[in-house]
Amino acid sequence: MTIQQVLLLLLLWMWLPHPCHTEMLFRRTPDLRPKSFGGRALGNDGKAIHRQKRGWMWNQFFLLEEYTGSDYQYVGKLHSDQDKGDGSLKYILSGDGAGTLFIIDEKTGDIHATRRIDREEKAFYTLRAQAINRRTLRPVEPESEFVIKIHDINDNEPTFPEEVYTASVPEMSVVGTSVVQVTATDADDPSYGNSARIIYSILQGQPYFSVEPETGIIRTALPNMNRENREQYQVVIQAKDMGGQMGGLSGTTTVNITLTDVNDNPPRFPQSTIHLRIPESSPVGTAIGSVKATDADTGKNAEVEYRIIDGDGTDMFDIVTQKDTQEGIITVRKPLDYETRRLYTLKVEAENTHVDPRFYYLGPFKDTIIVKISVEDVDEPPVFSRSSYLFEVHEDIELGTIIGTVMARDPDSASSPIRFSLDRHTDLDRIFNIHSGNGSIYTSKPLDREISQWHNLSVIAAEINNPKDTTRVPVYVRILDVNDNAPQFAVFYDTFVCENARAGQLIQTISAIDKDDPLGGQKFFFSLAAVNPNFTVQDNEDNTARILTRRNGFSRHEISTYLLPVVISDNDYPIQSSTGTLTIRVCACDSRGNMQSCSAEALLLPAGLSTGALVAILLCIIILLVIVVLFAALKRQRKKEPLILSKEDIRDNIVSYNDEGGGEEDTQAFDIGTLRNPAAIEDKKLRRDIIPETLFVPRRTPSAPDNTDVRDFINQRLKEHDTDPSAPPYDSLATYAYEGNDSIAESLSSLESGTTEGDQNYDYLREWGPRFNKLAEMYGGGESDKDTS
């Protein structure tokens, strides 16, 4: 039967008269009385039934969903008993979908649906209808409400919320064990027909699994499904509506089912016996090898515990279970010796740690293996008779005395001879030595317990045939004390006695120390080396003594210092003693015995001034003298007035001077006698008009002979000074006693000299310091001006 045939049958069924036909009556307004209309219907007994006329007449409206016709779908007809058929009334529709989804013919009251309707979107629509007079626009009937109910058809297939489900079930489960439940939903109306009645079936996954048709619960269908054979299964479930009948719609989903592991497999060793080898020199804890039992299970069901259950080496070896690899690691428990035993046999058992009681019938969940361990011979280093040695010796033994002997042997069967030596890093001072053949340790330097009480040595033993294999052993040497040190004062004592001291007055308490450490403890005795008339010593018998005065009054003018020899003895054997000298100063004290002054010179100072005051006065005098000297030096170094008063005073490099020569009477600038007698010039005599800072040592030229004319002398000097870079260009105007005829030199001024400025280099003026910067600018600027012109 097709969908079109089903829709046609439903339409015919709706238009057939039913005994339970219902009409919706709406209450009229009070001023309008109900009117009856003529109409009859047949009851159940076939008799005619008369009904009262009502103002509104229509049937309850039903509409099928998913209408596929080309015209608007007819819903029903509204009709009022006030309608005379003359077109005076107008029908108005409002509510859900009015005007868009549902339209009404204003004249006839026919209602149509304009498009397809899906019941799954909305199952019913509530609308309101009213009839009004076209001319007056007044309602002739009160507004009434009615419902258009959408009838369902089977147009939705069942759907699952998940396309793929994942589930698991333990392996070896019994038949009927629940795996997972899948549920499909159908959007059709479950209260109308079988459109939403779903039946489940399995399309793929048989014969391993089944599904309950009504509930969708998937269960196991085969017993003893083994994960080790197959772990993953894919089951396809179908959900079909219409109760699973022909023509129903269906949907499918996939369920991936995994068999989870249970401990149903015991561990198994791949072989019954294994053989391992290990050198005899392997230390305790060395791993020899491993054994591993395989288990088909996974996770904690495959966890195995290993243990040694039998064999002749149970006390020599251990086995440890490695959790991450599930291996049994065999390790050395005690030192091995090839010469003692060469082969060991162990029986190792592997057992599951998590056994499931449900599968005891599958057999014991354990397995065993025989492990044979061969010990290999190696050339072993010497072995000392002890792990360490302790020797005690007195510090006063003679050189070369043997303090002890170490012994070592070759554990190999060859028994090679042993050679002993000392590790000099442990005996840097070379106090000890060892006999290389017999291991006897003896002293090579004197011992002193007070310097070092312990000596930690390291003795090396090596085979003569194989010196590379060595063994070390620590040797501890304890130096025992001998009473070889005399006691002495514990500290340096600064002792004084007051001038007003009385007889028997305590002036000092002394104590002593001794570097020795006797077994009975320290005990010292104090006494005077000789009878002293001024002081005495009193032993307190607690390793201290008191120094007391024997007379009244002391004078620092007579004796300012007393030396008191004190004898200190110990009580050990042999008795040691020493004499310590106390220096006792005589000091002036106040009435309470507090020291004020101990030197005799302090009495010569004024009573009103203390030493501190005198030092302060002396410092003030020195500071004043320094200030005066500095002030005089600054005044002497004050600069003289410069020749050039201002920068504007420079015109064509002509320098003006404030002085004027006085002729022969002017002896301040030049000594006229020197000009008359050049031989009388003093060595290194500088000009008296100004003293520049001379940076170059002036060149000394030989003096002219006595018969040389003064003119030649002046020309020679002029030439020297014009060409000498160390001579500053100072000019002055002076008259001389000599006046020649047509002198070649003409003017003595450097401004008119034959040597021009361009012939000289004045860069050295900048090197003379800030005092010659102005001249450097003048002459340097002149040259630059000439260059530019």
Side-chain angles (χ1 to χ4, degrees), residues 661-723:
E664 295 180 356
E665 302 299 330
D666 187 5
T667 59
Q668 296 297 325
F670 299 98
D671 188 4
I672 193 63
T674 303
L675 293 176
R676 294 182 181 275
N677 185 13
I681 186 171
E682 295 179 0
D683 210 12
K684 298 182 181 178
K685 186 173 182 181
L686 301 177
R687 293 176 59 175
R688 292 178 293 175
D689 56 344
I690 187 169
I691 304 177
E693 294 179 0
T694 303
L695 301 179
F696 299 92
V697 179
R699 293 182 299 177
R700 179 66 183 271
T701 57
S703 301
D706 295 341
N707 56 358
T708 303
D709 193 86
V710 177
R711 179 184 62 187
D712 297 335
F713 171 76
I714 293 175
N715 290 334
Q716 182 182 358
R717 287 299 186 185
L718 179 61
K719 184 177 180 180
E720 290 176 358
H721 283 279
D722 287 341
T723 59

Side-chain angles (χ1 to χ4, degrees), residues 14 21-24 58-62 75 147-149:
M14 289 177 60
H21 182 269
T22 59
E23 290 183 337
M24 298 184 66
W58 62 78
N59 295 328
Q60 184 178 4
F61 298 132
F62 295 93
V75 178
V147 176
I148 299 177
K149 186 175 182 182

Side-chain angles (χ1 to χ4, degrees), residues 607-624:
L609 293 177
S610 62
T611 304
L614 292 175
V615 172
I617 293 173
L618 184 59
L619 288 176
C620 291
I621 294 173
I622 294 173
I623 292 172
L624 289 175

Side-chain angles (χ1 to χ4, degrees), residues 169-171 227-228 259-265 296-299 301-302:
V169 63
E171 63 174 334
R227 184 197 65 84
E228 288 72 32
L259 295 183
T260 58
D261 185 57
V262 298
N263 193 6
D264 58 339
N265 294 281
D297 298 322
T298 60
N301 297 319

Side-chain angles (χ1 to χ4, degrees), residues 132-235:
I132 63 173
N133 191 291
R134 286 182 180 273
R135 290 175 296 178
T136 62
L137 300 178
R138 295 183 61 184
V140 297
E141 293 288 348
E143 188 178 53
S144 300
E145 186 176 81
F146 65 96
V147 176
I148 299 177
K149 186 175 182 182
I150 309 301
H151 272 306
D152 182 44
I153 64 172
N154 189 19
D155 60 341
N156 292 280
E157 69 275 4
T159 58
F160 291 92
E162 301 288 342
E163 293 184 1
V164 178
Y165 288 85
T166 301
S168 62
V169 63
E171 63 174 334
M172 308 298 290
S173 298
V174 297
V175 175
T177 301
S178 176
V179 180
V180 68
Q181 182 179 12
V182 294
T183 303
T185 57
D186 197 321
D188 294 326
D189 188 0
S191 63
Y192 183 75
N194 294 327
S195 298
R197 184 186 173 195
I198 299 174
I199 297 298
Y200 299 94
S201 60
I202 184 168
L203 300 182
Q204 178 183 329
Q206 296 173 334
Y208 306 104
F209 300 94
S210 63
V211 63
E212 292 184 358
E214 300 291 338
T215 62
I217 297 176
I218 301 174
R219 299 182 183 275
T220 57
L222 282 181
N224 299 329
M225 286 191 294
N226 197 339
R227 184 197 65 84
E228 288 72 32
N229 296 333
R230 183 177 177 182
E231 185 176 3
Q232 299 287 339
Y233 295 86
Q234 190 176 73
V235 179

